[in-house]
Amino acid sequence: METLTVKKVEVNYTYMMSMCGIYGMIFTFCLYQNLSGITFPVCVAATIFTTVLFMKRMGITIQRNFLVYVMAMLLLGVSTTMTSSGFFHVFNWAGILLLLMTAVIRQVNPGGNLNFQQYLVNILVLTGKTVISVLDPLLHGIQYNQDREKEKSKYIKPVITGLLIAACLLVVVLPLLIFSDQIFASFFGGFIHIFKFGEAWGLFFTFLAGFVLIYAFFSGISRLEFKSQEGGNAKAKEGNINPVTGVTFAGILAAIYVFYSVIQILFLFMRLESGLPDGVTYSQYAHAGFWQLLLVSLINIVTVLICISVFQENKILKILLMVISICTCIMTLSAAYRMILYVNAYYLTFLRVLVLWFLGVLMLIMFGVMWSIIRRNFQLFRYIMVIVTVCYIGLSFSKVDRRVAEYNVEHWDYITSDDMAYLIYSSSWDAAPVLAEAGKKAAKDQPWQEQYWKENVEEYYRRILDQKMTLRSWNFARAEAKDAAREYLHLLDTDD
């Protein structure tokens, strides 16, 4: 496989500019004022296809594992059109970019497998190199022209300059001519609707963002440097620090964690209330300490990973790290159990679902960390990528706001104004089909407030119907919310 360099990108400047320019137009069509419509998966597919064209042009062999990343990115793209939740829109973008960077790093790395730390470092480095490469389309163009023959360059530069000047003048002159003559306007009148000044700048900057970002990303990839896998990676796996240091502090932590875990098993899981402090009920005991346990679990995972990387292999250290890992799993279960008890008392919110999901993922990650203690050549980064990707895709398709609304409406003995306010103002449109049922139940539970519920739900649904949605910006969750709004308001009008 050929080695990717910046010089290769410069030599293929014309191809790069054409390819990125076409991508910029697709990017603009798909995403201009439309970050979650049905065209979003089209943009994801265009990004993948453009990346494949780039790698083939650069002589990079595309491996089979690239298809796995492609499927995951496309699923996240589809998920974006299935929900109206801003949270998932943002994190779907982040997930797609992370998957794209990881996939490309695996394709262009000539040295073989990377360990966990090297993957993280290369992702951060690629992000930084992409940022510092945003001017490369201009810099590479200058270099490309300097490398061309003088006779050709002296014609190319004036032509490009003339085209740019004409484009700038037409932006001002053509609208004036259209407004000055009706016959002329009949031929070019469509131009003014497409090229309104505000709209034009928006389209231009969207195109520029897509064009520059994809070019800078490819340029950043070409700047990546991979150390020889045989030497550097083996050393990283074995570690080079005396394990006595690790045994010392790991032994102390393990002893404290074992004692803490025994307390969790006896007093939280087995509900041994006889040992609780005076004046503290089991409910009060169970509801406290969740966030502290979550933070300790995260610290323990990082600590174990560092110990695996930097210390020389040692049986005693392995045993102590395994004890810490098992105790971390108990702490994670303790945090999850406390959250479940809290949900039973105060019902669901989006954040509580997210926390429970995170704790489940954390537990699965911990299993991989424990296996990497036993086998140091275990591909931990790939394991974590698979776990996080699969679990997140499942979460993004689950319509969390709708599930939260369904659970709460089913379990609320009666619905208060605060409960309705949460459903209306704190949930995305994913919950809209459930809200009508909530309003009906609220009116039934508290008939004297029937008019209050009716007015608030009606206003909520009218706001949904007021939001315009074109074919390009069509979103499944928004369409479903509009259908629910039409149905509810129709029934409302019929009752009146």
Side-chain angles (χ1 to χ4, degrees), residues 30-31 35-45 76-77 80-81 93 96:
C30 293
L31 301 185
L35 299 180
S36 59
I38 198 171
T39 55
F40 184 79
V42 178
C43 184
V44 175
L76 288 179
T80 300
T81 69
W93 271 82
I96 290 167

Side-chain angles (χ1 to χ4, degrees), residues 27 40 47 67 80 96 132 150 249 294 322 428-429 474 477:
F27 183 90
F40 184 79
T47 304
L67 293 176
T80 300
I96 290 167
I132 65 175
K150 289 185 178 181
F249 80 79
L294 181 60
M322 188 63 72
S428 67
W429 285 6
W474 187 88

Side-chain angles (χ1 to χ4, degrees), residues 389-407:
T389 300
V390 171
C391 292
Y392 178 77
I393 289 175
L395 181 71
S396 66
F397 274 99
S398 66
K399 292 185 178 293
V400 174
D401 282 324
R402 182 167 182 168
R403 305 304 165 215
V404 167
E406 290 174 343
Y407 177 89

